[in-house]
Structures are given as structure tokens and as C-alpha cells.
Amino acid sequence: MNRSTVDVTFVVGYLAVAIGLLVARSNPATTYEPSIYTGTPMITWVTFAVALAIAVGMALTCRGREQALGIGLGAITVTGIVSLPVIRNYRFAGMGDALTHLGWTRDIVAGELAPHELFYPAIHSIASVFHYAGGIPIERALLFSMVITFVPFLIFVPLVVRELTGPSMAIGAAAIVSWMVLPINNIATHMGVHTNSNALFLAPVVIFAVFAYLRRRATIERLPLGLSPFSLLVVLSGIGLLLIHPQQMVNIVVLLGAISSVQYIVRRRSDDHPILDHPTMYAHTIVLGVVFGLWALSNERFRDALLILVVGLLTEDVGSGAEVDQRGSSLTEIGGSLGELFVTMFLESAIISLIVGVFVLLVWLGRTRLAPEAKSLVNYLAISMVPLTGMFVVYFVGTPTMAFRQLGFIAVLLTILAGVAISRGVGTLSNYVSRPGGTAIAALGLSICLVLGLMTVFASPMIYDPGQHVTDQKFSGYESGFEHADEDLPHAGMGYDPYRYDHGLNGVEGDGTLSGATVDSGTVDSEAFEDGDYADAYNGIDYYFIMTQYDITRELGVYQELYYSEDTLEEFERSPEANKVISNDEFRMYVVSSTE
């Protein structure tokens, strides 16, 4: 392809993504959207597809400046997709932990909470700066923070692979795999204001600092006390990760511990090995481990989480088996299956894992032509998978949610290794077909996986989890409900506990009754509600019943009336026991009188 053709192709690609973003911006969300995919105009997705198709081809076939432009095009497009809640003017996105993070940010802005009093204050602090400096609403500031922490993932994955090995094919392949956003699984990691998930996207920054320290000799630019600037970069980036979320910093400490162990063993047993030329990671492992220990053990939240994990390991009823069986049976009742859900959510991850697994096995068997230096770095990452996977198993037995967060970090390492694995695979394939043919096959396979990955970046009914779009009307309904309600009556949701909204609206640092909430809250018993025992569906007392458009979409549309039926909700509307007190297009609240 000649230079002018390449330039025209890039113009088309960048123009396409610009048009897609402008169209998305011109069509803001005006009501609750169960799926941001269907809510976003089709022309946006068409232009994004054109841009990504060009980016994939250029990232794999070009070198130097042209490859950088191709990777940049893909990164901008994927960042645009991740930024759609901001671009399309969502009031907020996220109805679980995100609302609690919103509440903590409100507390910081109001001066009721100092950032250092939080276990992981970075996201909240960044949002506070946006709020103060730009005068933007706190909700939008948090969405900006989510995008800002995502971008380094797209930048540093190819940079890490460039440090690991030289071929441009590996760098391009790694960039494409990073666009799949494998760390997001929508079980315990989410694309939104979720600090554990946000921290995953900063992990490649620390890994890049580690590889830079191992490979580059800072003989000229020394710091005082003989410190290397790369050494300092490892520590500072690790501490930065700690402030976003400590669990992912623990994984970095485990990674450094694995590298240190390999270095120690090689130094004891070999006199001629590339690892002998690497500076040791002993000090970094100890320093970051001590920093984490001092930070974590002084925090009550960490101690409580550790206690929950231990209890989960020692008891039979806190584990994954019963939860998986229950969800599997529920999916079957609405016409789905765990197998179908796995294919939808994890097929591309499974394919990438298989490719990386075969590649690592070939490296250990000595069947690859990797340079000794690159092989050593691959071994560092591959061997670290052993303790990291062991932690996944422990979490899976004790607290399954933590296990899938652990899986997110493992996916970060798989993303990095996948670039090298695919590059070597294309080289092997070229022995049987031409080099362009091997590259075309790789481009096709990666494109399919890219589509599968981007289809599940956000929650949607396709994975039986409607989007958690929070509209102005929903916020307004909850705000009025909390402000004007009788303080003696609890608030009950339809399968969703309203206390998270109390966090988001009123802050977390209150003297409330539940996790810092200022109202008593819970959920109604679906079986009693379906039987028409509305008054007895919540502990046999008077209560406020809250129904939102999200609840109706989830229960009637996605769950297909598995727990609540449309007929029951219509009967409830006519029931003398229920009196509507607040109503708008997205929110309804009723006073339900008990029979006592």
C-alpha cells in the first residue's frame, strides 16, 4: 500500500470516528435506556465499525508512524465507546457501588470526609478536582474519572509489549486485544464508577514500570542515594494503584514476589542466564508489601472484608456452588442457560486464554524462537499466574465476587501475553500460507473477538442484566421520596434496595441505620407480593414501596415475569392498601398500609 493510499485510509478512519461521536453527542438519552447499545444511533456504530476495521488492519500490517496512527485510531474509537454515557449526557451510570462512591465524593466536596480517611480515595479525589475546577456536577465528574482511568490501559498495554519484545506485529496485536477490554466481565468488574475495575486499567502502568526497570540501565540519570528513576517509578505507580483500589495493588505485590522468587532461584542454580543481568525486585516487593500492610491493617473496611473471606472459607453456605445453581435454574426458567451466557460473556476471553496457554507451554518446552531476554520476561508473567490463580481459587471458595475481580487482573496479564502469542502464531502460520495470508487470518480472528468483547463492555439485556442508567427523573423521585417521607416508615424496593440512592444523594457519612444510609430500607418479599399480600410483603409493617422503570424493565422484560408479573403490578395499583405519593415517568412511590 503506497503512502497516499495509507493517508487517505487514515483520513477515512478518523473522520468516521469523529462523525460517530458527533452523532452520539447530538442524540442524548432522554429517558431510561436498558441498553446503551440500542439507545445509541445506528450510524454511530457503523462509523465506529469502519474506524475499528481500519485500525485493526493498520495495527497489524504497518510499522512505525503508520502503526502508531492505526493504534491511536483504535484507541480513540474504543475510548469513545467507553465514554458513551458521558457523550450521550447520562446523568449517572451505576446503581450499586457507583452510588456509594458518588456519596463519598459528595462527602469529600462537603467537607464531611477527608480523602485520606477513605480506603481508596483516588477516584473520588479526581472527581472532586473536576467538580471544583470545572464547576461540573459531581455525577458527571465521576463519569469523567472513569474515562480518565481507562485510557492508560489502551496506551500502556502496547508499550509493555514493546518493552517485552520488539516485533511490530506483537505490539499491534496487543493493542487490538486491549480494545476487547477483557478485564470487564460484568459479574464483579464493570465499566463504570467501580474503583476495583478502574484500578485494573492502571495495572499495565505498573507493569510497564517494572519492565522498564528490568530492561533499562539508568547509569547516567541516577537519583540521590543511588536510586534508579525506574525503581522509583515502580514504587510510585504501585502506590498510585493502591489509592485507586488495594486489591489490585495486592496482585502487583504478588507479581513482584513471583519475579523476585524466579530471580532468587536462578541466581542460586545458574551461572549463565539472561535473568542474571536483571536488577533484583526484592526491595520493591518488600516496600510495596509493607506500604500495603500499613495502609490496609489500619482500615476497618479491609479488616471486615478479610473476616468475610475467612468465614466464607470455613463455612459451607458461603460459596459459589449454591449461587451458580440458583442462577442456572433461573436462566433456564426464562429460556436461557449458563452455557449460552458463558459464550456471550467469555468466549473471546476463553479463545485468548487458550492461545496464551499454548504459547506459554511452547515457551517452556523450548519450541519458540523468542529471544532469551523476551523469554525471561514472558516467564515472569507466566509464572506469576500460578499464585494469582491460586488466589482466584481461594476467593472462589470464600467470596465468589472477589474471585471474578481476581479474574479481571489475570485478564490484564493475558492481554499483554496475547500480543506476543499472536505474533508468534502468525509467524508460524506464515510457514504454511503467505505472510499476508497469515496476517489476514489473524486480523479476521481478532476482529471477531473484538466485536464479541465490545458487545459486553456495558451491561445490557443481552446478558440478562439491564443497563444501570440513572436518569434525572429517577434521582428526582428518590430525592423527593427521602426528603418528604415519614421517617418512621422504611423504603422497600422491587428487588433493589433503595439505600444506595440514599448514599448517592445524601452521602455515606451519616448516622443512619444501614451502611451509612439515613433511611431504613430493604426489598419486598416477591412471593408474598405475587400472592397479593402487599402489606405483609415487608415484615408486616407500613412501608414505602418504590418502583422504577429499571425495575419494570428488569422484572417484566429481562426476567420475563419470573419474580413479579405484570398482572400483579396492575392489581397492586388498584389495591386499597397502596396509595401513590410520588410519580413521574421513571419513578413511583407508594405508601403500603399493613393489616395490623
Side-chain angles (χ1 to χ4, degrees):
M1 190 182 297
N2 59 46
R3 179 65 178 272
S4 60
T5 303
V6 170
D7 290 343
V8 170
T9 303
F10 278 128
V11 169
V12 172
Y14 279 96
L15 184 61
V17 71
I19 292 172
L21 292 173
L22 288 173
V23 171
R25 179 63 180 169
S26 301
N27 291 271
T30 55
T31 59
Y32 167 71
E33 292 184 347
S35 171
I36 198 169
Y37 297 104
T38 57
T40 301
M42 179 59 67
I43 189 172
T44 294
W45 296 116
V46 171
T47 54
F48 283 173
V50 171
L52 285 174
I54 294 173
V56 169
M58 295 304 182
L60 291 179
T61 59
C62 295
R63 302 292 181 267
R65 169 184 170 274
E66 285 78 14
Q67 185 185 48
L69 287 173
I71 292 174
L73 175 60
I76 291 172
T77 306
V78 174
T79 302
I81 293 173
V82 168
S83 304
L84 282 175
V86 178
I87 294 169
R88 300 197 54 244
N89 204 32
Y90 275 27
R91 170 71 181 272
F92 195 61
M95 292 168 48
D97 288 351
L99 287 171
T100 299
H101 294 307
L102 174 59
W104 274 322
T105 308
R106 288 194 191 282
D107 290 333
I108 291 174
V109 170
E112 297 179 5
L113 179 70
H116 70 271
E117 294 176 328
L118 274 176
F119 193 26
Y120 30 80
I123 294 295
H124 318 84
S125 300
I126 294 171
S128 299
V129 171
F130 273 120
H131 173 71
Y132 281 122
I136 61 178
I138 297 174
E139 299 92 338
R140 193 164 183 82
L142 275 170
L143 294 179
F144 282 159
S145 301
M146 175 266 291
V147 175
I148 285 175
T149 53
F150 172 74
V151 171
F153 183 74
L154 303 180
I155 295 174
F156 279 89
V157 165
L159 288 178
V160 169
V161 174
R162 190 181 69 172
E163 286 294 312
L164 195 155
T165 185
S168 298
M169 172 67 74
I171 298 171
I176 296 169
V177 177
S178 74
W179 304 340
M180 301 175 193
V181 201
L182 297 182
I184 297 301
N185 54 51
N186 279 305
I187 296 176
T189 58
H190 309 276
M191 183 55 70
V193 183
H194 187 253
T195 53
N196 196 297
S197 305
N198 303 141
L200 289 170
F201 301 128
L202 273 295
V205 178
V206 187
I207 297 172
F208 174 79
V210 170
F211 280 8
Y213 170 74
L214 291 172
R215 294 204 64 180
R216 301 183 185 185
R217 308 293 179 261
T219 55
I220 300 176
E221 55 223 305
R222 305 295 292 186
L223 297 176
L225 303 177
L227 292 175
S228 162
F230 302 123
S231 182
L232 186 61
L233 183 63
V234 172
V235 175
L236 291 179
S237 59
I239 293 175
L241 193 62
L242 169 69
L243 297 178
I244 296 177
H245 201 284
Q247 183 181 354
Q248 306 308 338
M249 197 266 205
V250 170
N251 288 326
I252 288 294
V253 172
V254 172
L255 171 63
L256 296 183
I259 294 174
S260 297
S261 299
V262 172
Q263 291 177 331
Y264 177 78
I265 293 172
V266 170
R267 279 170 166 75
R268 288 289 301 271
R269 300 190 176 185
S270 177
D271 297 324
D272 182 22
H273 196 283
I275 289 179
L276 296 175
D277 296 329
H278 293 166
T280 62
M281 300 295 303
Y282 306 152
H284 308 83
T285 306
I286 294 172
V287 169
L288 290 180
V290 169
V291 169
F292 170 79
L294 293 175
W295 182 263
L297 293 178
S298 63
N299 187 275
E300 183 180 358
R301 187 179 179 88
F302 171 79
R303 295 195 299 269
D304 291 342
L306 183 61
L307 179 61
I308 291 172
L309 174 61
V310 173
V311 171
L313 291 172
L314 298 178
T315 58
E316 296 181 0
D317 58 337
V318 184
S320 59
E323 183 178 351
V324 171
D325 291 341
Q326 180 182 3
R327 294 192 178 187
S329 62
S330 298
L331 280 172
T332 301
E333 290 186 49
I334 60 177
S337 68
L338 284 176
E340 171 198 342
L341 196 59
F342 174 84
V343 169
T344 304
M345 297 175 65
F346 293 106
L347 180 59
E348 75 283 0
S349 298
I351 293 172
I352 296 299
S353 299
L354 179 61
I355 293 172
V356 171
V358 171
F359 167 68
V360 170
L361 181 60
L362 292 175
V363 169
W364 288 349
L365 294 176
R367 301 295 298 274
T368 65
R369 297 180 180 177
L370 274 180
E373 177 82 358
K375 188 179 296 185
S376 299
L377 298 178
V378 167
N379 280 329
Y380 283 147
L381 296 180
I383 292 173
S384 72
M385 291 280 197
V386 177
L388 291 170
T389 303
M391 292 172 64
F392 168 79
V393 173
V394 171
Y395 286 141
F396 196 75
V397 175
T399 52
T401 298
M402 297 288 282
F404 282 96
R405 291 181 177 182
Q406 183 71 10
L407 198 62
F409 185 84
I410 294 173
V412 173
L413 301 187
L414 289 174
T415 300
I416 293 170
L417 290 171
V420 187
I422 292 169
S423 174
R424 304 308 303 177
V426 171
T428 301
L429 190 62
S430 299
N431 295 329
Y432 304 96
V433 297
S434 65
R435 181 73 178 188
T439 302
I441 293 173
L444 178 61
L446 286 171
S447 298
I448 294 172
C449 289
L450 180 57
V451 172
L452 292 173
L454 292 176
M455 282 170 53
T456 55
V457 166
F458 294 105
S460 71
M462 183 177 64
I463 57 174
Y464 303 98
D465 186 15
Q468 297 187 354
H469 173 202
V470 183
T471 62
D472 287 329
Q473 290 185 320
K474 189 182 294 185
F475 261 135
S476 174
Y478 273 108
E479 187 173 22
S480 298
F482 293 144
E483 181 179 354
H484 300 295
D486 186 335
E487 294 181 358
D488 295 328
L489 298 186
H491 293 69
M494 191 170 78
Y496 186 84
D497 193 329
Y499 85 91
R500 293 284 197 174
Y501 278 94
D502 186 31
H503 281 180
L505 290 166
N506 300 318
V508 186
E509 299 302 306
D511 299 324
T513 58
L514 180 61
S515 301
T518 58
V519 297
D520 185 14
S521 64
T523 58
V524 297
D525 183 279
S526 60
E527 293 184 3
F529 198 90
E530 274 295 292
D531 291 338
D533 298 329
Y534 310 123
D536 295 330
Y538 190 80
N539 302 325
I541 60 175
D542 293 357
Y543 64 97
Y544 291 110
F545 177 70
I546 293 175
M547 183 192 312
T548 68
Q549 189 60 42
Y550 167 82
D551 299 322
I552 294 172
T553 300
R554 181 193 62 213
E555 299 298 338
L556 304 187
V558 177
Y559 293 169
Q560 300 178 27
E561 305 185 41
L562 180 61
Y563 303 111
Y564 300 90
S565 66
E566 186 173 4
D567 291 340
T568 297
L569 295 180
E570 291 177 355
E571 291 175 5
F572 173 76
E573 287 270 2
R574 298 190 295 266
S575 171
E577 300 172 2
N579 296 299
K580 186 184 297 182
V581 292
I582 296 177
S583 178
N584 61 41
D585 292 340
E586 305 285 339
F587 179 95
R588 280 173 279 173
M589 188 171 85
Y590 306 80
V591 174
V592 180
S593 303
S594 68
T595 56
E596 297 181 359

